[in-house]
């Protein structure tokens, strides 16, 4: 993960985009890219979307991930640690219902 973040920073800095990558704009970019991901599924089934747009879906997923990593980097957030903490919280909030 650290190597990927290093490459993302390098890509950003080589293009002079750093000043524009503040927390607000990175969060907006995550949302915009997530919506581009959703466009692949609009009005069709998941199966149809995957058949027609699998490559684009993967690219949009990568865009969301890249912007999320940039936001985490900017805020000095360890996403893996935060994901584990959130899963623990979710387990308490949504316990397994053994009586399904």
């Amino acid at each position: 993960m650290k190597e990927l973040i290093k490459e993302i920073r390098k890509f950003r800095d080589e293009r002079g985009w750093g000043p524009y990558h503040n927390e607000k704009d990175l969060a907006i970019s995550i949302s915009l890219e997530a919506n581009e991901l959703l466009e692949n599924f609009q009005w069709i089934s998941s199966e149809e979307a995957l058949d027609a747009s699998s490559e684009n879906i993967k690219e949009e997923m990568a865009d969301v991930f890249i912007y999320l990593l940039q936001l985490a980097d900017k805020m000095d957030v360890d996403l893996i640690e935060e994901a584990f903490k959130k899963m623990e919280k979710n387990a308490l909030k949504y316990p397994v219902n053994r009586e399904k």
Side-chain angles (χ1 to χ4, degrees):
M1 188 85 83
K2 289 180 183 185
E3 188 63 30
L4 177 57
I5 291 170
K6 182 179 170 183
E7 285 299 312
I8 292 168
R9 280 186 202 144
K10 180 179 178 233
F11 183 89
R12 176 201 65 202
D13 293 345
E14 287 175 343
R15 287 152 182 81
W17 294 347
Y20 308 104
H21 286 194
N22 59 67
E23 295 84 350
K24 174 191 68 83
D25 289 328
L26 289 168
I28 289 169
S29 295
I30 292 166
S31 179
L32 293 172
E33 293 298 340
N35 283 299
E36 289 182 16
L37 172 62
L38 283 171
E39 280 183 322
N40 291 283
F41 295 93
Q42 188 175 23
W43 312 120
I44 57 177
S45 70
S46 293
E47 294 78 17
E48 291 170 314
L50 293 172
D51 286 344
S53 305
S54 180
E55 194 59 36
N56 187 258
I57 290 167
K58 289 187 266 185
E59 289 177 7
E60 297 303 341
M61 290 170 63
D63 285 339
V64 171
F65 186 56
I66 290 166
Y67 277 119
L68 182 59
L69 287 176
Q70 288 182 89
L71 180 58
D73 185 45
K74 181 85 173 172
M75 295 176 62
D76 198 28
V77 171
D78 181 332
L79 282 175
I80 304 231
E81 179 183 325
E82 293 303 320
F84 277 116
K85 289 191 321 193
K86 182 63 175 174
M87 291 302 297
E88 287 176 16
K89 188 174 180 178
N90 286 346
L92 295 173
K93 187 174 180 180
Y94 306 104
V96 175
N97 182 357
R98 302 257 184 228
E99 300 177 13
K100 292 182 183 177

